[in-house]
Structure formats: C-alpha cells, structure tokens
Amino acid sequence: MAQRVAVPDGANKKTSRVRVAVRLRPYMDNQDEKDEGPCVRGLDSQNLEIINWRNATETVKYHFDAFHGEQTTQQEVFVSSVKPILPHILTGQNASVFAYGPTGAGKTHTMMGSSDQPGVIPRAVSEVFKLVKAKDEDEGWDYSIGMSYLEIYNEKVLDLLSPSSQDLPIREDKDKNILIPGLTLTTISSFSDFDKHFVPASLNRTTASTKLNQRSSRSHAVLLIKVVRTQRALPHRQQTGKLYLIDLAGSEDNRRTGNQGIRLKESGAINLSLFTLSKVVDSLNSGTAVRVPYRDSKLTRLLQDSLGGSAHSVMITNIAPEYKYYFDTFNALNFASKSKLIVNKPFTCETVAVLPVKRAKEDHKAGGSGA
Ligand code: ADP
Ligand code: MG
C-alpha cells in the first residue's frame, strides 16, 4: 500500500490533497438588471480575476488547479476533472466529486446537466460501466455495481431511493469504513438501469417539499456508486471502491437575505455542513491541522473515508459572472483558493483595448481616459 508510484508532477506531494477546479458559467442578461456586465473573468487555464470591491481600479487574481471558462463544455469538465479518478474505484479506492457554489451558479448543470448537455453524473456512471466492461476476464475478478442516493437536509440523512424513510445513522466499521445501515443499495447492471432509479429519485427530492427550489438549494444531494470486485479464485479477495457525486447546498450566506425562523435554522444547519467542509478541505490542503474535523457535521462524517486520506477528491466550485453574485462569488473563491493576489490593473482597461482602433481613438480625443 505504501509503495511509491510515478505520478505527474506535484501530484505525489500530498496524496490527501483535494483538487480544486473553478467553473465560470456564461454571463446571463437576465441576471444583470443594472446592465453592469461581468465582474469576473478567466485569464488562462488556471487563473481568473475579479474586481476588487474595495478599489475598483484593482482586480484580485486567483490561482486554481484548473479553471474552466464559460465556453467550457460538459465533456471538457468531465474529461479534465473527473474521468482521471474513475479507474481507482475499480481497485477498491474511494473518490468524491462535489459541486460547490452559490445557488444559480451552475452546480446542478455541472453535476446533472440536461438531456442534450449531460453533466458529470451521467458521464461518470457511463464511464464506470465502460471501465468494468473493458476489464480483462483473465484478470480473474467479478465486478458488481450498486447505487445509493441520499439527501442531507437540516443535518438529517434521508434515503431518496426509499422516500418514506427517516433520518439514518452514519456508522464506522472496524476498518474505518463509513456506512449507513438501512440505506438502500440497488444493484445496477447498465446505464439505463441506473437512469431508471435515478430519475424518479431526483423527482422525489424536489417534490418532497412544497417550496422545491428552496429545498433543493438547501440540501446536499449525494449519489453513491459502489463497485465491489471479488476474486474468482481462492481466497476470493473482495475490494470495494466508492464514488460520491455530490450536488452541494447553495453556499450563499442566508443571513444576509434576512431568513427567519425555520429557514434560519435550515441555514444554520447548512452553514454547519458547508462550514465544516471548508475546514476539512482547508486542513487537508494545508496539511497543517492536527485533527481534520470530519465528525463536526453529517456531510463530512459521511465523506470521512472518501475525502482526503487515500481517496481521490475533486471540488468543482461554480461561480456566476454577474455583480449580483459578487459577494457570494468572492466568498466561494476565498474558500476554494488559499492564494490570491491583488493586481493593480483596472478590470475595464482590457475591455477598452479590444474595441476597434478607430473607436478607441475617438474616445481618446473626447478626453475620457484619466487613467
Ligand atoms: P445551481 O444548481 O448552482 O443553483 P444551476 O445549475 O441550476 O445552478 O444553474 C442556473 C442556471 O444557469 C440554469 O438555468 C442553468 O441551465 C444555467 N447554467 C449553469 N451553468 C451553465 C453553463 N455552463 N452553460 C450554460 N448554462 C448554464
Ligand atoms: Mg441546483
């Protein structure tokens, strides 16, 4: 287990590191009533910048493992951020992929997508079936694939494949595997089999509440794909690999929007899980924490064996470019990145530079510069 293998540069420094990717969704007119244009933009495949609200002549520049700009397709996000970790779950290792970010920034688009633009979940499930089919019979292992689908709402664990169920407990076995006794695990033999269970269960999630948008933005939807392989010959060794695909609750600060009563309680609970997740990711990525606080929330407790340690984890932070998301974007970026740089360069400057030369000259004559 402790054997060293050759890996691409940087990847072997800390095996427990969470890879962080940021995806910027396209600018939407209808999300920008004041017609202010975007306040954030990509620079290259690893960097982006956002206007500094303290000083609009500055931008704040952030660096990530990957940056996916607004033109990025669903296929590109999948291939660069998710596909490489999938082979590991066929050899008894665990993995987790989660979409983080404010409501409206593209988490569900990234994870579920639509029928003409399928997201990470359908692509990953298809790929797992493909990988299993491609396995050589002669290697001597039999594979079986199962799925579970749950929701964490108000710090309660609810089974989406068995909607009448109550809050389920999270346990740990003697080998430190996390398990949920009573959670439905459905064996699936093909992608269409998966879809048959997944689609109605997703509907369960949204119709379970009268205020469906509020609920879906306030709960964490957790899909588990479990691959068990068993050696045909004695001693019939068995290995279990788990893949978690998670559409997290919105990261927006609900205290700012003036929630009250039950809603405030929900926000508090969501903040607990997301706040704990941020502490966990932080301590894994900085490598300095004495204790990774997995036990402080349901979400992180559930992910304990699949986030950090020997697991392969990717966080896709979704952000929106319009000003109305500014502070939520800023917070999401600060969570996602530990390194930022204030750049003394007006954001609007480069926009002017791409205007046709003639127009730029006219602007100059009008004396409107002043930079
Ligand atoms: P969230 O789940 O984070 O609340 P959604 O995934 O529902 O956000 O996205 C909000 C809206 O933006 C939806 O209408 C969605 O289709 C659209 N959208 C999000 N990301 C993209 C993208 N990369 N390309 C095109 N449309 C997108
Ligand atoms: Mg959503």
Side-chain angles (χ1 to χ4, degrees):
M1 280 300 276
Q3 185 189 6
R4 279 182 186 269
V5 285
V7 279
D9 77 82
N12 62 345
K13 280 183 197 145
K14 269 186 219 97
T15 47
S16 59
R17 227 184 133 270
V18 179
R19 205 180 113 88
V20 179
V22 169
R23 184 182 199 184
L24 174 64
R25 77 147 161 72
Y27 169 81
M28 292 172 170
D29 269 330
N30 64 357
Q31 295 291 305
D32 186 10
E33 289 114 37
K34 296 190 198 148
D35 210 15
E36 295 166 295
C39 63
V40 51
R41 68 173 168 202
L43 296 170
D44 56 40
S45 64
Q46 290 195 300
N47 296 286
L48 66 81
E49 64 180 352
I50 181 168
I51 288 183
N52 187 1
W53 61 279
R54 293 173 191 277
N55 179 350
T57 67
E58 293 174 348
T59 65
V60 185
K61 191 175 156 186
Y62 290 85
H63 178 82
F64 301 98
D65 295 310
F67 170 71
H68 303 302
E70 46 209 292
Q71 304 298 325
T72 314
T73 62
Q74 299 281 68
Q75 169 74 357
E76 285 163 347
V77 171
F78 172 70
V79 167
S80 103
S81 292
V82 181
K83 197 179 176 194
I85 67 177
L86 299 179
H88 299 294
I89 65 162
L90 272 68
T91 60
Q93 294 179 44
N94 297 338
S96 54
V97 178
F98 41 106
Y100 179 88
T103 301
K107 296 182 297 297
T108 304
H109 178 77
T110 295
M111 296 307 288
M112 310 262 224
S114 55
S115 49
D116 39 324
Q117 288 179 274
V120 162
I121 287 175
R123 285 170 200 273
V125 173
S126 302
E127 177 69 14
V128 169
F129 278 109
K130 210 172 110 190
L131 290 169
V132 167
K133 280 213 185 74
K135 281 282 170 190
D136 195 339
E137 282 277 308
D138 298 342
E139 285 178 21
W141 296 85
D142 287 325
Y143 290 81
S144 108
I145 306 176
M147 70 179 281
S148 295
Y149 192 24
L150 62 92
E151 171 177 61
I152 299 178
Y153 180 63
N154 246 340
E155 292 295 279
K156 287 195 178 74
V157 177
L158 305 169
D159 188 346
L160 289 171
L161 295 178
S162 173
S164 56
S165 83
Q166 303 293 306
D167 183 17
L168 296 167
I170 303 174
R171 301 261 159 76
E172 188 179 82
D173 71 9
K174 62 178 186 349
D175 299 319
K176 305 244 178 251
N177 296 307
I178 302 293
L179 44 105
I180 299 181
L183 179 69
T184 309
L185 177 70
T186 304
T187 304
I188 46 175
S189 55
S190 65
F191 179 81
S192 65
D193 210 10
F194 161 78
D195 228 29
K196 198 175 77 197
H197 294 98
F198 183 66
V199 172
S202 302
L203 291 174
N204 277 344
R205 180 188 181 209
T206 46
T207 53
S209 162
T210 46
K211 297 181 176 174
L212 56 96
N213 283 328
Q214 284 162 8
R215 175 148 180 171
S216 69
S217 70
R218 282 154 190 282
S219 72
H220 311 285
V222 180
L223 172 67
L224 168 62
I225 301 294
K226 206 171 189 175
V227 178
V228 180
R229 69 167 184 170
T230 313
Q231 212 171 23
R232 245 173 264 134
L234 282 167
H236 302 302
R237 275 171 64 211
Q238 201 168 64
Q239 295 178 331
T240 301
K242 296 195 287 185
L243 168 67
Y244 282 103
L245 298 162
I246 305 172
D247 186 350
L248 290 169
S251 66
E252 60 274 10
D253 186 345
N254 287 294
R255 284 166 305 188
R256 265 214 338 269
T257 53
N259 285 320
Q260 282 160 1
I262 178 74
R263 296 274 301 283
L264 191 61
K265 185 176 163 240
E266 289 175 10
S267 304
I270 287 159
N271 287 346
L272 174 66
S273 271
L274 283 181
F275 179 61
T276 310
L277 178 68
S278 79
K279 286 195 292 185
V280 167
V281 171
D282 219 37
S283 62
L284 291 172
N285 282 7
S286 64
T288 53
V290 207
R291 181 188 80 103
V292 182
Y294 289 110
R295 286 171 175 268
D296 293 2
S297 80
K298 290 287 172 73
L299 177 68
T300 50
R301 178 66 172 147
L302 178 66
L303 290 175
Q304 182 157 2
D305 63 2
S306 305
L307 172 64
S310 61
H312 306 264
S313 326
V314 186
M315 179 173 78
I316 305 174
T317 300
N318 292 90
I319 56 169
E322 301 85 18
Y323 270 90
K324 73 178 226 189
Y325 291 93
Y326 185 86
F327 285 100
D328 293 323
T329 303
F330 208 69
N331 287 335
L333 292 174
N334 286 337
F335 164 37
S337 168
K338 288 304 135 205
S339 79
K340 64 177 175 183
L341 184 70
I342 295 186
V343 182
N344 204 341
K345 179 188 67 174
F347 191 79
T348 47
C349 213
E350 285 188 14
T351 318
V352 173
V354 299
L355 287 173
V357 178
K358 186 163 168 281
R359 169 88 188 280
K361 272 188 192 153
E362 280 166 4
D363 284 356
H364 187 69
K365 259 189 256 165
S369 163

